[in-house]
Amino acid sequence: MTLDFNLFEFNLKDFRQNKLKMTQEELANHLGVRQDYISRLEQSSDQIPLNLLAKIAKLAGTTIDELVSYKRPTPRPLNPVNTWKNCDLTKRTIIDYINKHCNHLEKIYNKHISDLKEKVEIMLSKPKVAIVGHSDVGKSRLINTLIGSEKMPAQWTPTTSIAVYIKHINDRPQYIKEEVWVFKAPPEGELGWDERRLYDENYCNSWKLASGSADILKEYGTRQGKFFEKEQAGAAVIFVDSEILNNCDIIDLPGFGVGDRPEDDVLALKAKDVADILIFMSHAGQFMQNTSIEYLKQTIYPLTVIENKSANNLKPLANLFILASHAHTVNYEELPNILDSGCKRFLTVLPESFWDDRKEVSGYDYNFNDIRGRFFTYTTDNELLRKDFEDEFKSLIETLPLIIYEKSINFIKQYIKNTGSNIDKEIEEYKNIINKRNEYEALLKKIKNNEPNRELDNQRKRQEMIDYINSLSTSSVKSFEEKYNQIMSVDNIVSIIEKKRFKKNKNDFQLLVSHIISLLENEMNKIIKRNNVDIKNKIDMYLEEFGKDYSVDLNFSTNFSFDAKRAFTAGLAGVATLGGLAFWASAMGNLGGYILVAKGVSLLSAIGISVSGGTAGAITAVSSIGGPAVLAIALAILAAVSVYSLLSLNWEKRLAKHIINEFDKRKVLYTFVSVIKKYWEDTIKAFNRATDNLEHEWKKYLANLEEMVNSNDIDDINRKIEAAEEFKNFILGIPLSKDGYNLI
């Protein structure tokens, strides 16, 4: 006879370790059973026979009723100081100010006002903590511990299969009444529900699948849930009253490597785009095995460089935490060696240029101790084994809100300043139309006469740009193919084996493959980064010439209020991916930073937390292009070489030939070439969308100019001047300090 322990929460493994203080073997001896039987029961406590349960109760000196009521002790939640309150107060003050005063403004400025509100909402956003790892490493348990509430489904079998955004209860929009909203999975090829549009009621309702209490996460977001297969969910948001969520949002992503839904791996890799802080978990008993290393590579490549030697006191790689979870299950004395070995294996597969790129931003020379310092033990069963992680993590999420506040306020100030300058140009233009009517009539006539030539010339320049991007695609592919052939030669692979001192064993075979793929990714990124500099210069030149194309020679001075760069960038809003224009945007300062944030790039990366000019964003723009396609072939080849056996004689060359054959069989070169081509195709799509909007905005501007020049109603133009001045005063009156006073 067995008991139904689903009615209880008895955990035999935890009870054995924390109450009985016994090993599996010791408990088995006391109960007169085999050790492997105890191991099976610890995985399925509901299968414990009643007679055995009685023996366990007797051994513990307790009753069966007390035994089955035993629960694992819950660690104290992390309670950081709320350093986000200044950001929150400032955002609320600005939004309240906008809502209070915008109704008095002309409708012509509604777009500007909604644009400003969106920027404030996005820029004053909490840092996002993404938690990733294999499906059985305890991600949900970690989250429940951090937030101090059992909200995330946590079982020994793989569970969470959707992206769950965990936010503070005070961040819940007024239109959401329930604890949880679940959103539909996107159609193939689409991005899905965008968490940054949480306050857009119509948008969120269009994606809504279900709502209710935290329990519905089990039904829609776990493999055991009754709606898991029937109703395809893609994401969820849950609102929790938790101290830690005052300072950050937490994202629980699907576990890697479950296998039954490959799209889960793709979803999990999204962390590399949105994460400001990355927590990567790997089981201490199998710490940083080669598949884990491959997953970590794909998430760490574009991780925001927030540390800067000359600008802040943040440690190198301060926003990366690599946790050896379930640390209590291994010998305490072995834990330092486990972390050391995991760190060394990870460093073995990364090319040196990875650290060179980070140094370019941070100014740090990264050494083993710096990187090893980001490896921590973690378990909910032993406070000492998680203390170092919790102390570091708590310190970081108390510090980042202060930096975000400063950077975001500077961004909003610059936005206000630029907007005010543009309004000044607009007012000047209105006044010129009144005071220099004849000259403006002549101006308009010349512009209109010049329009056919301008359009033809612009079409030619636009096509030249597209042809140039296509040529970059071709040259990028050619350069990569040359590098690929150099790397994938027998002599070079043998040289790598000797240099890295790889041995003839399964583990080293896989490390070698992972290192080779890292070298290929590195060469791809270097080629694209180099060509991106050319793209940036070409686009800057194109926009500069666009301004010259509509200008005409006159006998009086005028200052067009039309802003070609802003019209161009506004067109990027509807683009799924930016390609090379992400690099261009990253070099634009504040305006480009906003574009990147709107596209899902980490907030800290996009606003250039490390250095002015957005260099961190520039690295992010290039480093994230490999992703799921590269990961898939890497995992396939790792599996293939793990079963390969070699003769002792000349094994290095034999292995090199085998790896080359596997790469050919898996069409690795074709995969990389496809990634490169898609990058430049995305660049062309983004450029076309931006130039379409540029042309549209110019036509609209010209029509408005013609209407005013030909108008006989001077009072109408004066009203536009008054409206523009009112809007400028409104913009300049935005309160930016925590006390509600304008600081400009």
Side-chain angles (χ1 to χ4, degrees):
M1 177 182 176
T2 61
L3 288 182
D4 182 5
F5 284 100
N6 291 326
L7 298 175
F8 311 103
E9 295 186 21
F10 181 63
N11 185 314
L12 175 59
K13 181 178 181 180
D14 179 75
F15 190 82
R16 170 181 60 80
Q17 292 174 335
N18 292 295
K19 289 294 183 182
L20 299 177
K21 307 294 184 183
M22 292 182 180
T23 65
Q24 284 184 347
E25 184 178 3
E26 289 170 338
L27 179 59
N29 290 335
H30 278 288
L31 300 178
V33 297
R34 291 161 51 109
Q35 180 181 342
D36 61 345
Y37 182 53
I38 296 296
S39 178
R40 290 197 300 273
L41 291 180
E42 287 186 349
Q43 294 183 0
S44 301
S45 294
D46 57 340
Q47 299 300 315
I48 302 177
L50 181 59
N51 65 327
L52 197 64
L53 190 67
K55 290 182 180 181
I56 296 173
K58 183 178 180 180
L59 185 63
T62 185
T63 66
I64 292 179
D65 287 342
E66 291 173 338
L67 183 67
V68 296
S69 299
Y70 169 78
K71 293 183 180 180
R72 176 185 293 183
T74 303
R76 290 173 297 177
L78 209 60
N79 292 323
V81 176
N82 183 358
T83 54
W84 183 255
K85 55 188 176 183
N86 283 347
C87 291
D88 186 57
L89 178 59
T90 299
K91 179 163 70 172
R92 292 176 186 273
T93 300
I94 294 174
I95 297 299
D96 288 347
Y97 172 87
I98 292 173
N99 291 336
K100 181 178 179 180
H101 293 84
C102 67
N103 292 332
H104 303 294
L105 300 171
E106 291 283 341
K107 289 184 178 180
I108 190 173
Y109 295 108
N110 283 348
K111 184 178 179 181
H112 294 278
I113 293 168
S114 62
D115 183 50
L116 173 61
K117 285 179 68 174
E118 184 180 86
K119 284 179 168 60
V120 170
E121 291 282 5
I122 288 180
M123 299 309 291
L124 283 168
S125 296
K126 294 176 183 177
K128 292 179 173 57
V129 181
I131 301 177
V132 295
H134 279 277
S135 59
D136 57 351
V137 294
K139 295 186 287 89
S140 296
R141 180 95 176 129
L142 167 65
I143 293 172
N144 288 337
T145 300
L146 291 176
I147 65 177
S149 180
E150 296 288 327
K151 296 296 183 181
M152 303 305 297
Q155 302 171 15
W156 71 271
T157 51
T159 51
T160 310
S161 190
I162 59 176
V164 181
Y165 294 84
I166 307 164
K167 294 174 172 288
H168 196 277
I169 188 70
N170 292 338
D171 296 328
R172 182 169 60 183
Q174 289 186 352
Y175 71 88
I176 294 181
K177 307 302 180 185
E178 299 84 359
E179 186 178 23
V180 174
W181 270 33
V182 179
F183 301 97
K184 293 177 285 191
E188 187 175 353
E190 294 189 19
L191 296 178
W193 179 72
D194 186 348
E195 172 267 342
R196 292 156 302 181
R197 297 182 65 180
L198 177 64
Y199 292 91
D200 186 334
E201 181 176 0
N202 292 333
Y203 171 80
C204 288
N205 272 310
S206 70
W207 281 96
K208 182 182 177 183
L209 180 63
S211 62
S213 67
D215 291 338
I216 68 168
L217 289 177
K218 298 177 183 178
E219 304 300 338
Y220 287 90
T222 71
R223 288 166 176 79
Q224 296 82 12
K226 63 181 179 181
F227 297 119
F228 176 70
E229 295 294 345
K230 185 179 178 181
E231 302 281 357
Q232 287 289 304
V237 59
I238 180 170
F239 302 96
V240 182
D241 187 3
S242 169
E243 292 295 323
I244 192 174
L245 297 176
N246 281 319
N247 283 19
C248 65
D249 293 340
I250 296 176
I251 313 172
D252 184 20
L253 289 139
F256 286 129
V258 173
D260 56 341
R261 293 211 321 184
E263 63 268 27
D264 288 350
D265 281 357
V266 176
L267 180 59
L269 283 176
K270 286 185 177 181
K272 69 182 182 180
D273 294 327
V274 303
D276 300 304
I277 302 170
L278 178 67
I279 298 177
F280 188 92
M281 302 181 72
S282 179
H283 197 293
Q286 302 164 342
F287 187 59
M288 292 300 286
Q289 297 303 307
N290 292 314
T291 53
S292 292
I293 289 174
E294 203 58 44
Y295 286 122
L296 179 56
K297 276 169 48 184
Q298 293 301 328
T299 51
I300 194 179
Y301 276 149
L303 184 65
T304 306
V305 187
I306 66 173
E307 68 272 15
N308 186 265
K309 197 172 184 179
S310 60
N312 59 50
N313 295 321
L314 296 174
K315 296 180 180 179
L317 293 164
N319 53 338
L320 173 66
F321 299 87
I322 302 173
L323 305 188
S325 66
H326 302 281
H328 66 284
T329 63
V330 300
N331 190 315
Y332 178 82
E333 295 178 353
E334 287 298 314
L335 286 173
N337 292 333
I338 288 173
L339 297 183
D340 287 345
S341 298
C343 182
K344 289 174 182 176
R345 284 196 297 273
F346 179 54
L347 290 178
T348 297
V349 306
L350 288 175
E352 292 181 3
S353 56
F354 172 80
W355 304 109
D356 292 338
D357 285 343
R358 293 190 74 88
K359 179 181 178 181
E360 181 182 339
V361 179
S362 71
Y364 280 105
D365 288 306
Y366 295 89
N367 56 46
F368 176 80
N369 289 334
D370 291 331
I371 300 154
R372 170 62 176 82
R374 308 317 303 162
F375 284 68
F376 303 86
T377 58
Y378 187 82
T379 176
T380 56
D381 294 75
N382 187 325
E383 184 177 357
L384 290 177
L385 293 180
R386 65 177 182 270
K387 185 177 187 303
D388 287 347
F389 159 70
E390 290 184 339
D391 288 347
E392 287 267 339
F393 182 62
K394 181 173 178 287
S395 175
L396 181 64
I397 61 174
E398 288 176 344
T399 301
L400 288 186
L402 305 177
I403 301 176
I404 290 175
Y405 178 78
E406 178 188 354
K407 297 291 182 180
S408 297
I409 291 300
N410 288 338
F411 169 87
I412 298 171
K413 282 183 181 179
Q414 189 62 45
Y415 175 85
I416 292 172
K417 181 179 178 181
N418 291 342
T419 302
S421 177
N422 290 335
I423 295 297
D424 285 339
K425 291 179 182 179
E426 191 176 319
I427 292 171
E428 179 187 357
E429 196 168 60
Y430 289 148
K431 290 179 178 179
N432 283 338
I433 290 172
I434 294 174
N435 299 326
K436 301 178 180 179
R437 177 60 66 93
N438 293 336
E439 289 91 335
Y440 261 85
E441 288 176 349
L443 165 68
L444 183 61
K445 184 177 180 180
K446 286 189 176 184
I447 290 176
K448 292 188 66 176
N449 289 338
N450 186 54
E451 268 297 278
N453 292 331
R454 185 202 63 78
E455 289 178 356
L456 287 173
D457 195 41
N458 186 51
Q459 289 176 4
R460 176 184 60 80
K461 291 175 180 176
R462 179 171 175 171
Q463 188 58 49
E464 285 177 354
M465 176 65 77
I466 294 171
D467 292 342
Y468 180 70
I469 296 173
N470 280 323
S471 73
L472 287 182
S473 179
T474 301
S475 65
S476 296
V477 169
K478 182 179 179 181
S479 297
F480 180 78
E481 288 174 341
E482 292 174 355
K483 290 293 184 182
Y484 182 90
N485 291 329
Q486 292 173 14
I487 293 171
M488 298 304 300
S489 69
V490 172
D491 289 344
N492 185 62
I493 294 175
V494 170
S495 175
I496 293 172
I497 293 172
E498 293 172 348
K499 181 180 179 181
K500 294 285 186 178
R501 298 181 179 179
F502 288 126
K503 300 293 187 293
K504 195 179 73 166
N505 59 61
K506 167 188 169 182
N507 184 63
D508 278 18
F509 292 175
Q510 291 186 324
L511 288 175
L512 172 61
V513 168
S514 189
H515 178 69
I516 291 172
I517 291 174
S518 294
L519 292 176
L520 294 174
E521 287 183 287
N522 178 63
E523 291 299 335
M524 176 178 67
N525 288 340
K526 279 167 60 178
I527 291 166
I528 290 177
K529 189 187 297 184
R530 184 167 61 244
N531 288 332
N532 270 334
V533 175
D534 294 334
I535 280 290
K536 174 192 174 302
N537 295 335
K538 288 281 187 179
I539 291 176
D540 287 341
M541 187 179 301
Y542 171 80
L543 293 175
E544 184 179 343
E545 290 179 350
F546 186 92
K548 293 178 181 177
D549 289 343
Y550 63 71
S551 299
V552 291
D553 293 329
L554 295 168
N555 295 325
F556 75 101
S557 62
T558 185
N559 192 0
F560 285 105
S561 63
F562 182 72
D563 190 329
K565 183 174 286 188
R566 282 184 173 271
F568 181 85
T569 55
L572 298 175
V575 184
T577 52
L578 298 176
L581 267 68
F583 183 89
W584 173 77
S586 70
M588 286 179 60
N590 284 334
L591 180 59
Y594 169 72
I595 295 170
L596 292 175
V597 173
K599 290 297 151 195
V601 173
S602 147
L603 170 67
L604 300 180
S605 180
I607 63 176
I609 187 173
S610 299
V611 292
S612 59
T615 306
I619 290 178
T620 300
V622 179
S623 299
S624 59
I625 65 173
V630 174
L631 175 63
I633 59 173
L635 296 178
I637 297 172
L638 287 176
V641 299
S642 68
V643 297
Y644 186 63
S645 59
L646 292 168
L647 298 173
S648 297
L649 185 64
N650 204 16
W651 67 269
E652 294 90 348
K653 283 191 176 182
R654 291 174 183 269
L655 178 60
K657 290 178 181 178
H658 176 67
I659 288 174
I660 291 171
N661 288 336
E662 284 294 333
F663 273 56
D664 290 342
K665 185 167 68 175
R666 308 285 176 179
K667 298 181 179 180
V668 175
L669 177 59
Y670 171 81
T671 300
F672 274 94
V673 167
S674 298
V675 169
I676 292 170
K677 287 182 176 179
K678 185 179 184 306
Y679 181 85
W680 294 116
E681 288 169 2
D682 289 342
T683 304
I684 291 175
K685 289 178 183 178
F687 176 76
N688 279 333
R689 183 71 68 92
T691 47
D692 284 345
N693 193 70
L694 173 61
E695 188 70 18
H696 171 75
E697 290 297 320
W698 166 248
K699 294 286 189 184
K700 190 166 70 171
Y701 169 81
L702 188 59
N704 184 59
L705 183 65
E706 182 177 15
E707 179 184 350
M708 285 190 294
V709 169
N710 294 332
S711 174
N712 293 320
D713 189 353
I714 301 299
D715 290 339
D716 182 55
I717 300 176
N718 280 323
R719 282 193 295 271
K720 290 182 181 295
I721 294 174
E722 291 175 2
E725 289 176 339
E726 183 182 5
F727 179 65
K728 180 183 176 182
N729 291 333
F730 161 78
I731 287 291
L732 295 179
I734 291 176
L736 291 180
S737 77
K738 62 184 179 181
D739 300 316
Y741 297 105
N742 191 291
L743 297 181
I744 297 181

